[in-house]
Amino acid sequence: MKEPALSGAKGESGSTLKTLGMSDWFPLGDCQLLVVSDGVLRLDAGAVFGLTPRIMWEPLAGPLDEEHRLGVGLNCLLVRSQGKLILVETGVGSKATRLPGAAGVGQAGTLLADLARQGIRPEEVDVVINTHLHFDHCGGNTTYRDDKLALAFPRARYFVQKGEWEAANHPNERTRATYLAENLEPLADSRRLELVEGEAEVTKEVRILPAPGHTADHAIVEVSSGGRTALYVGELAQHPVMLERLAWISAFDVLPLVTLETKRRILERAVAEDALLVCVHSPPPGIGRIRLVEGKRKWEAA
Ligand SMILES: [Zn+2]
């Protein structure tokens, strides 16, 4: 089946890497930031927009494929901060093992190639942060090496919220399709896992902040330096229009009313601080700002 180009992306239709107009390193105070990509994930569009009626989201969503799926980005963020190379999120990864339901992952698994293109070897990554442990956010944490599951970033410390780790290791009937053992076991067996509770400092400039709703222990990442702020907002929204509209919340969220209040709080902060936002599932590179225009939130891609 022909896969349409990712909505909003530049480049050749259907070409995995060419569609991903990657940006260059850019400064934020004393930090350097770069969006890298694990490619494209295809999700059922109705599930992405949750309770929102199709007649409202369809004109804004962008092109769907023949199976009514929306192509979403898998934008991961690299941060150079205080001598550390930090990778936020690792996408679907390339293990291509059990995959949930109708999700399309044929164009995913490009992260290591994208890092290589930037001249970055996996062993150079000091820290990996996962906002949560759904398969499309931590699949690239692990890989097959000599036919054995291993950590993809062998020198890194992996930061995860403790509650999220527990939820992922005790999945229920609803969550077991997305919490996959092969993404977790090599970490459990390593000394590299850093389970944190609530706010956690990775460097003086990089912090993990609770942002519950998508999962009970979903987190975002704040980069703050030189009076400027960037927020990697994780799964606060799956599409930029969902940042503009508080009530548009995906069916994937396990606590949608908590998501609503989390979105309100974080977006108020983002507007007040003119924060740069990095959105995992937006068209690459997924960088922009939320501005108030005549009292309404407006997403402006950077
Ligand atoms: Zn996701």
Side-chain angles (χ1 to χ4, degrees), residues 136-137 235 281:
D136 55 322
H137 298 259
E235 200 111 4
H281 290 318

Side-chain angles (χ1 to χ4, degrees), residues 1 3 14-17 38-42 65 69 74 92-93 96 99 102-110 135:
M1 186 190 74
E3 304 257 17
S15 162
T16 306
L17 296 174
D38 193 52
V40 178
L41 172 67
R42 311 203 69 80
D65 69 14
R69 297 178 306 185
L74 293 165
V92 169
L99 294 164
V105 296
Q107 291 177 296
T110 62
F135 79 98

Side-chain angles (χ1 to χ4, degrees), residues 203-218:
T203 71
K204 290 270 177 259
E205 298 163 325
V206 178
R207 293 195 306 151
I208 302 168
L209 306 177
H214 182 65
T215 68
D217 290 281
H218 176 263

